Amino acid sequence: MTPNVTGIGPVVVYLAILGFVGIQYHRDKVTTRRLPLLVGMCLIWLASGLFQLATNGTTLGYAFDGLSVLTLVGGLYGLYWWWRHRDTETPGPNHDDRESL
């Protein structure tokens, strides 16, 4: 059996989107509070693309299945982490702890 080469397009696109999020974070266009949300969404999309690449019954298929499950769990954890910390106040660059006393 040959791997499903036609399904590689979405995986490349999702990796590119993840790379663009990283570049925008490096350029300080994406805040640290929003980064787990964006990375989590990208990882979930990437997991769906990797699920499409998996072929049943082959070693490469099992590897894509395992990798897609790991990226899905990582993406869900990123969304969970963002959900739990979205309302917390994070000190900004001009925040002084002495002002709150």
Side-chain angles (χ1 to χ4, degrees):
M1 283 178 95
T2 60
N4 185 5
V5 180
T6 59
I8 197 117
V11 173
V12 172
V13 171
Y14 299 146
L15 283 173
I17 291 172
L18 187 62
F20 290 139
V21 167
I23 289 170
Q24 293 299 317
Y25 176 72
H26 182 68
R27 292 181 180 173
D28 292 330
K29 303 284 183 182
V30 174
T31 61
T32 306
R33 293 180 71 178
R34 185 167 289 185
L35 185 67
L37 172 69
L38 295 174
V39 170
M41 288 189 316
C42 289
L43 288 178
I44 289 172
W45 295 338
L46 183 62
S48 70
L50 289 173
F51 271 130
Q52 294 173 7
L53 282 180
T55 56
N56 294 333
T58 63
T59 306
L60 186 61
Y62 293 140
F64 280 131
D65 281 341
L67 187 61
S68 59
V69 167
L70 287 176
T71 56
L72 181 64
V73 168
L76 289 175
Y77 180 74
L79 290 178
Y80 170 76
W81 190 91
W82 173 80
W83 180 262
R84 295 289 293 171
H85 295 93
R86 72 186 191 314
D87 293 332
T88 59
E89 182 70 27
T90 57
N94 297 328
H95 181 72
D96 190 9
D97 289 333
R98 292 176 285 171
E99 292 176 358
S100 63
L101 295 177

